[in-house]
Amino acid sequence: MNISSALDQYKSMGNHQLIFGYRGSLSNDLVSALIQMADSKLKELETPFRKKKAIINILIEGLQNSLFHSIEGQKTVGNGHNCLFLLGKREGEYFIRIGNFIESSKKEVLSAKIDKLNSMDAEQIQQTYLDVLDQGALSDKGGAGLGFLRIIRDSGNKIAYSFEPADDNQQMFYSMEILVSD
Amino acid sequence: MENIEIQPTATTPRISFRPLEGYFEISGKSLPENSYDFFQPLLEYVEAYAEKPVDATKLVFKLQYFNTSSTSHFLRMIKKFEKIHAAGKNVEVHWFYDEEDEDMKEAGEDFKVLLKLPILIKGIKMD
């Protein structure tokens, strides 16, 4: 790599108000390390504790969701649970973007689930969170869907998402963006 | 029953269960990759304890952060202690949170809504 392209990249990351990002294979230990790094970066930026905690909670749920539900071992982009993760701040709000490859067949179910949660107000989200938590405690599997509920509850915003065609029809690149107002 | 002492890792909490003292503590960070595998043996242990509990039992949480699948297991565990309480024994849940951490305070309040046993929620200074 020559020095001028490195400088361009450095500037470009600054222009996008990026705090930090990651592209590559994910593991649970790496989720933990990314959370630690986000925590210290947000402290440096003097983010109020409450906002910092909301962002950390969203990262935990978003990154583990990516780890548990993405397609493993993409031939085109390397091995493992490949993901894109960006944390930044623009115009007084933090943004978190998380993307990964999923099977195309999951698109309908996933978008219906998020649309349904996005249509709820804060009170409904809290009540649904408690209902799912309570029902999940009855089974061994825990509360399915609690992660998305927590993301919406803690961000105070809806989840923006997209599905983009990947190299073959069997898979898509699913990404979500969550905003946390400063 | 023998004590359980599990040292914390970057993704699992410290566990200190001392049944003869009626003292059960979960502290630190809880975001295991497979929370069922981590918590199920502990739930079975508490179930065995519930058959012959001591007169006063204390369940203590001192958490920094957790994933939602851990929360389901916390609730399952507290429900086992709730049964001991319902059988007439003295059981208290102590939910400690970092005094700055309103989110963790609210997580304790969520459990209070869902359960019928004493849950004391208290802010303390944490590292």
Side-chain angles (χ1 to χ4, degrees):
Chain A
M1 181 189 279
N2 65 49
I3 298 302
S4 63
S5 79
L7 182 59
D8 282 346
Q9 282 186 324
Y10 177 82
K11 285 178 182 167
S12 162
M13 285 176 85
N15 289 339
H16 289 94
Q17 287 92 27
L18 195 62
I19 296 170
F20 85 106
Y22 175 78
R23 174 200 182 274
S25 178
L26 206 55
S27 67
N28 204 40
D29 281 340
L30 189 58
V31 169
S32 165
L34 291 171
I35 287 161
Q36 289 294 338
M37 201 182 283
D39 195 317
S40 59
K41 289 275 184 190
L42 293 167
K43 266 186 204 151
E44 264 173 47
L45 293 168
E46 297 180 350
T47 310
F49 195 100
R50 175 104 213 188
K51 297 290 170 196
K52 179 171 75 79
K53 188 70 191 290
I55 293 167
I56 298 290
N57 287 344
I58 292 163
L59 294 186
I60 291 172
E61 301 306 329
L63 290 170
Q64 286 197 329
N65 185 62
S66 184
L67 174 62
F68 301 152
H69 300 293
S70 64
I71 300 177
E72 198 174 357
Q74 293 303 314
K75 284 178 193 156
T76 47
V77 283
N79 295 317
H81 298 274
N82 283 280
C83 82
L84 171 73
F85 157 60
L86 302 171
L87 170 64
K89 191 182 180 187
R90 64 181 170 225
E91 291 158 19
E93 57 189 5
Y94 292 91
F95 65 90
I96 297 140
R97 186 174 278 205
I98 295 170
N100 55 265
F101 292 93
I102 61 159
E103 289 162 29
S104 302
S105 58
K106 289 185 176 167
K107 181 186 167 183
E108 297 299 320
V109 172
L110 195 51
S111 49
K113 188 195 259 182
I114 300 173
D115 288 345
K116 188 180 171 200
L117 298 177
N118 276 345
S119 73
M120 294 181 182
D121 63 25
E123 207 172 303
Q124 289 172 308
I125 288 287
Q126 173 64 7
Q127 192 52 53
T128 309
Y129 179 87
L130 291 177
D131 291 345
V132 174
L133 176 58
D134 202 29
Q135 287 155 16
L138 300 173
S139 74
D140 290 343
K141 289 184 175 176
L146 268 184
F148 281 127
L149 284 159
R150 191 191 207 188
I151 287 172
I152 294 175
R153 189 183 70 172
D154 287 9
S155 72
N157 283 303
K158 301 186 186 314
I159 296 174
Y161 65 88
S162 73
F163 293 91
E164 293 168 75
D167 296 344
D168 73 61
N169 293 330
Q170 304 297 311
Q171 52 184 263
M172 302 193 96
F173 196 72
Y174 157 68
S175 63
M176 59 178 178
E177 185 171 278
I178 303 112
L179 303 176
V180 177
S181 310
D182 194 9
Chain B
M1 289 181 89
E2 289 198 10
N3 290 352
I4 294 185
E5 297 289 343
I6 302 174
Q7 293 308 308
T9 69
T11 56
T12 54
R14 175 168 179 258
I15 303 292
S16 181
F17 285 2
R18 306 199 290 268
L20 285 176
E21 298 166 42
Y23 188 84
F24 298 79
E25 183 177 318
I26 299 176
S27 56
K29 299 163 189 167
S30 186
L31 38 144
E33 182 155 2
N34 188 328
S35 51
Y36 178 85
D37 285 355
F38 185 81
F39 286 107
Q40 186 59 27
L42 299 172
L43 287 160
E44 286 166 13
Y45 180 93
V46 172
E47 217 159 79
Y49 172 79
E51 285 171 18
K52 240 182 164 185
V54 298
D55 288 338
T57 302
K58 204 188 258 188
L59 172 61
V60 174
F61 289 92
K62 282 182 195 167
L63 295 164
Q64 289 171 287
Y65 41 78
F66 55 78
N67 60 6
T68 44
S69 63
S70 294
T71 332
S72 296
H73 291 288
F74 296 154
L75 182 59
R76 291 178 75 201
M77 185 170 294
I78 305 172
K79 283 187 180 212
K80 301 211 181 291
F81 287 95
E82 192 179 39
K83 279 187 185 157
I84 304 173
H85 180 257
K89 296 276 189 184
N90 182 340
V91 181
E92 280 180 357
V93 178
H94 291 245
W95 183 270
F96 292 106
Y97 64 93
D98 182 306
E99 55 193 6
E100 276 192 287
D101 192 351
E102 286 292 309
D103 168 72
M104 194 57 81
K105 180 186 178 188
E106 287 166 14
E109 285 163 356
D110 286 345
F111 288 128
K112 237 178 157 160
V113 173
L114 297 172
L115 294 151
K116 293 187 190 71
L117 82 170
I119 301 180
L120 293 90
I121 301 172
K122 196 172 178 225
I124 55 167
K125 262 202 177 344
M126 283 195 200
D127 297 336

